[in-house]
Amino acid sequence: PVETPMPELTFTETPPETPIAVPTATPTGTPAFTAAPIPMPTETPTFFVAPAETSAPIARILFTEIMIDPAAVSDTAGEWIEVYNADDKAANLRGWQLGTVERAEHVIAADFWVAPGAYAVLARNDDAMVNGGVAVAYRYGSSIALNNTGSDAVALRAPAGELIDYLAWGTATALRSIPGASLERTTLGEPVQWVVAWQPWAGSAGDFGSPGSPYRAEITP
């Protein structure tokens, strides 16, 4: 048999691959900023300092008259106490205390101003039609009751409890309760002197005294 020649195989060389250019990534991080310097104060700051508290002097409030045993009306209606501001400025007696020498029995719970050099009346009843004709600046009610017989006393204290003034009467003292007449202080300084009132006040229902007014000396012929 005749051999058939094998066809010559031709190989085509694959051209080398062209490299693909990969773009270089641009950094996307947060750019850094340079902070501007903060100017510092050149002066030392001044801080507010609250002033130290100072204790105000206690007002000089004095007992100047007291109706222990009214005769024109009942004791529950007609008892009263007069005070005097011996200072040169007004005094607010809110927080002040009335009572015995041993303890407080009534605390003034409202603003109660007494002008300098002025008199003011505190009473069990503030109705002038009922209390015997007394003009009252402050009503303390039934918390204070004045003893007609035996011995008794009334005291005035500042809000912190300081004893400012007091008055005692009865068997242990030289003062006696007189029905229908107040006891009046005749001097604002020392020695303290008290007398029995000798005439009725304007508007009185019949009792003697001078509530809300200075003591008036008895006129002798």
Side-chain angles (χ1 to χ4, degrees), residues 137-161:
Y138 179 82
R139 177 181 178 273
Y140 54 75
S142 59
S143 55
I144 303 294
L146 308 176
N147 189 5
N148 299 339
T149 60
S151 296
D152 202 358
V154 64
L156 178 67
R157 288 182 173 83

Side-chain angles (χ1 to χ4, degrees), residues 24-167:
T24 302
T26 302
T28 59
T30 303
F33 295 95
T34 302
I38 300 174
M40 298 298 292
T42 57
E43 297 182 359
T44 303
T46 301
F47 298 95
F48 172 76
V49 178
E53 293 186 2
T54 56
S55 298
I58 301 173
R60 184 168 175 253
I61 307 297
L62 306 176
F63 288 134
T64 47
E65 190 173 0
I66 184 169
M67 177 63 79
I68 301 168
D69 187 11
V73 294
S74 67
D75 284 12
T76 56
E79 291 181 355
W80 47 266
I81 301 167
E82 179 191 80
V83 296
Y84 173 77
N85 183 357
D87 268 358
D88 58 359
K89 58 183 178 300
N92 186 358
L93 302 191
R94 174 189 281 270
W96 286 53
Q97 307 161 19
L98 283 173
T100 65
V101 177
E102 293 79 18
R103 66 184 184 277
E105 295 178 335
H106 178 84
V107 178
I108 298 173
D111 287 335
F112 174 31
W113 288 91
V114 183
Y119 295 84
V121 175
L122 305 87
R124 292 183 71 168
N125 190 301
D126 57 359
D127 185 349
M129 300 297 293
V130 176
N131 66 15
V134 183
V136 175
Y138 179 82
R139 177 181 178 273
Y140 54 75
S142 59
S143 55
I144 303 294
L146 308 176
N147 189 5
N148 299 339
T149 60
S151 296
D152 202 358
V154 64
L156 178 67
R157 288 182 173 83
E162 303 92 338
L163 181 63
I164 305 303
D165 200 7
Y166 77 98
L167 173 66

Side-chain angles (χ1 to χ4, degrees), residues 5-24:
M6 293 295 291
E8 185 178 354
L9 296 176
T10 305
F11 295 94
T12 304
E13 185 178 356
T14 302
E17 294 182 357
T18 303
I20 300 174
V22 179
T24 302

